[in-house]
């Protein structure tokens, strides 16, 4: 993890921190207001990246039911999600570093981003393999999703906890 520390420290500088925060919010807005609704409209269900518990059978049923348009939209989603993990990991890691320099919680969002990349790579390979349905690969992606969200939740709770502790 120490290899990421200089990046997190650089992102923690006041001006840079603000920019990473703003970019994180813009990405989040685009995902929640544009990409996820477009996929939901085309498929009747959200993309697997935002579904906490799913089976490989659920994923493949969603992929089949959505047709070519959902596969195209989900491919665009994955392209955008190539950049987002770096942005949120540096922002949340920098936030934790700013709240507790030298603390041990700043790597949480880095681990979340790693899980996000495992998830994204598996989903991209599943799109590439379509119409084949490699269940083991789908299983990897579907385990990475709740791990990612759990680590993001822990990082946000750590930010909240550190913020509250500093106010006392």
């Amino acid at each position: 993890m120490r290899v990421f520390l200089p990046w997190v420290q650089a992102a923690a500088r006041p001006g840079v921190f603000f920019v990473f925060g703003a970019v994180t919010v813009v990405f989040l807005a685009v995902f929640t207001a544009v990409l996820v609704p477009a996929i939901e409209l085309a498929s009747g269900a959200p993309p697997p990246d935002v579904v906490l518990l799913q089976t490989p059978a659920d994923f493949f049923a969603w992929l089949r039911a959505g047709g070519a348009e959902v596969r195209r939209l989900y491919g665009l989603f994955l392209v955008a999600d190539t950049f987002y993990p770096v942005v949120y990991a540096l922002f949340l890691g920098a936030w934790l570093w700013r709240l507790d320099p030298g603390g041990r919680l700043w790597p949480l969002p880095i681990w979340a981003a790693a899980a996000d990349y495992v998830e994204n790579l598996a989903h991209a390979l599943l799109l590439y393999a379509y119409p084949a349905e490699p269940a083991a690969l789908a299983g990897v992606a579907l385990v990475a999703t709740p791990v990612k969200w759990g680590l993001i939740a822990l990082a946000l709770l750590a930010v909240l906890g550190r913020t509250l502790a500093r106010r006392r």
Side-chain angles (χ1 to χ4, degrees):
M1 274 295 115
R2 292 283 174 205
V3 71
F4 296 107
L5 183 56
W7 293 91
V8 168
Q9 289 171 326
R13 292 194 335 245
V16 178
F17 180 70
F18 175 77
V19 169
F20 271 102
V23 173
T24 298
V25 169
V26 168
F27 262 105
L28 188 58
V30 168
F31 277 110
T32 58
V34 178
L35 294 173
V36 170
I39 290 169
E40 283 186 86
L41 184 63
S43 70
D49 300 65
V50 298
V51 178
L52 283 181
L53 299 174
Q54 198 176 48
T55 67
D58 295 333
F59 172 79
F60 291 123
W62 173 81
L63 200 57
R64 283 190 306 273
E69 179 62 7
V70 166
R71 290 189 300 277
R72 184 187 72 78
L73 288 171
Y74 189 55
L76 292 173
F77 179 97
L78 289 175
V79 169
D81 206 18
T82 299
F83 302 101
Y84 189 49
V86 169
V87 172
Y88 74 69
L90 286 174
F91 175 62
L92 289 173
W95 201 350
L96 287 166
W97 185 263
R98 288 172 62 94
L99 290 168
D100 186 16
R104 298 187 320 176
L105 296 176
W106 67 266
L108 282 173
I110 305 296
W111 286 110
D116 204 342
Y117 280 119
V118 168
E119 171 196 58
N120 291 344
L121 179 60
H123 283 145
L125 291 171
L126 289 165
L127 282 178
Y128 181 77
Y130 187 83
E133 297 183 356
L137 185 56
V140 168
L142 301 174
V143 166
T145 301
V147 169
K148 167 190 75 177
W149 286 113
L151 289 167
I152 289 171
L154 285 173
L156 290 171
L157 287 171
V159 164
L160 179 63
R162 293 291 185 215
T163 301
L164 293 174
R166 286 184 82 185
R167 290 185 172 225
R168 291 184 182 180

